[in-house]
Amino acid sequence: RLMPLVEQALRESGLSLDAVDAIAATAGPGLIGGVMVGLVTGKALAHATGKPLIAVNHLEGHALSPRLADADLAFPYLLLLVSGGHCQILRVDGVGRYRRLATTIDDAAGEAFDKSAKLLKLPYPGGPELEKLAASGNARAVPLPRPLLGSAEPHFSFAGLKSAVARAVQTDAHRPEDIAASFQAAVVACLIDRTRRALAGAGDVTALVVAGGVAANGAVRTALQALAAEHGLPFVAPPGWLCSDNAAMIAGLAGMGVGIVGAE
């Protein structure tokens, strides 16, 4: 599927491969199959055109993606990075300068969204579908855990919550929309509690920022905006198309000179 996609992108841009300065590709971390296919394709294009290949870190792409939408976003900012495979809190001090304050000890929030949506037999992509279903549900109807809520370290855990959703579905005692709403409320509560804890130890920051696929969730954004206001900080969230994995953030980083450049 990749070569027709590359050809379509070139047609829409009105450019040829000869006109580009370099080929940038995600080099990880991430799901190994997709990363390998994309990186090998990037290598092949670079070799065929004689252009340099720039290998970019996936998480660094997410970390700086908000600056593609808001050029006035100043360093340092506190970033909640929530995606399908990753859940971290970072202090972003500059391009290439990051301090990780928290991470997940098991599953990521995005994975919990996707697996819970699958348990509820929702179509792919599961996260947006679960959010739609939750809008008509009662967030207090299903008692679900809030893992690590109130713990001293601002780390995350979503494996137990995912298992609790599975049990709720199996009992057949709750409406799907109530399970979805209760699950979403539990995730939001955990994200806010953990981010509040991280803010206490982050030092002076210019803004509270969210990025990654889960950053497109309206309930998550609303709660984070309230948390930012509580701390007197601006809240910055990129538009939805910059939240999920995308080529723009990888190309944007390559243009900043971030990444490993090599001919091999």
Side-chain angles (χ1 to χ4, degrees):
R1 293 179 181 271
L2 272 185
M3 286 318 299
L5 185 62
V6 169
E7 291 166 358
Q8 179 185 346
L10 290 171
R11 280 197 307 272
E12 292 181 2
S13 67
L15 297 173
S16 67
L17 276 176
D18 291 335
V20 305
D21 298 313
I23 308 294
T26 302
L31 295 174
I32 189 64
V35 169
M36 287 179 65
V37 170
L39 186 57
V40 168
T41 300
K43 286 182 177 181
L45 291 172
H47 182 73
T49 59
K51 305 288 183 179
L53 173 74
I54 303 178
V56 176
N57 182 286
H58 177 192
L59 298 188
E60 192 169 13
H62 280 302
L64 292 178
S65 64
R67 285 176 53 86
L68 296 179
D70 184 355
D72 295 328
L73 176 58
F75 301 117
Y77 55 84
L78 188 76
L79 171 71
L80 172 63
L81 198 168
V82 272
S83 68
H86 308 281
C87 192
Q88 299 182 351
I89 300 177
L90 306 167
R91 179 183 157 115
V92 181
D93 289 319
V95 177
R97 296 168 52 212
Y98 316 97
R99 181 157 61 96
R100 191 178 71 182
L101 303 177
T103 189
T104 179
I105 63 174
D106 43 55
D107 295 340
E111 181 186 358
F113 262 100
D114 289 340
K115 293 293 175 60
S116 296
K118 189 173 182 179
L119 287 166
L120 291 167
K121 297 181 169 54
L122 298 175
Y124 182 87
E129 293 297 325
L130 189 146
E131 183 181 5
K132 289 179 190 175
L133 183 63
S136 58
N138 179 357
R140 299 187 178 186
V142 186
L144 294 175
R146 270 78 167 153
L148 297 184
L149 202 76
S151 62
E153 294 295 328
H155 297 307
F156 302 92
S157 170
F158 293 101
L161 175 58
K162 191 173 66 178
S163 298
V165 169
R167 290 192 294 272
V169 171
Q170 289 165 2
T171 62
D172 204 24
H174 305 283
R175 299 187 308 156
E177 52 265 45
D178 290 342
I179 296 175
S182 299
F183 164 79
Q184 182 173 260
V187 171
V188 169
C190 292
L191 293 178
I192 296 304
D193 179 76
R194 309 288 72 215
T195 305
R196 181 181 284 111
R197 179 74 66 175
L199 274 168
D204 291 334
V205 292
T206 63
L208 175 59
V209 181
V210 67
V214 180
N217 180 279
V220 170
R221 286 186 182 230
T222 299
L224 286 171
Q225 189 166 22
L227 178 63
E230 178 185 312
H231 286 77
L233 292 171
F235 172 64
V236 178
W241 65 272
L242 268 177
C243 290
S244 57
D245 293 346
N246 63 87
M249 68 183 188
I250 302 304
L253 247 70
M256 296 177 196
V258 174
I260 302 169
V261 182
E264 296 299 325

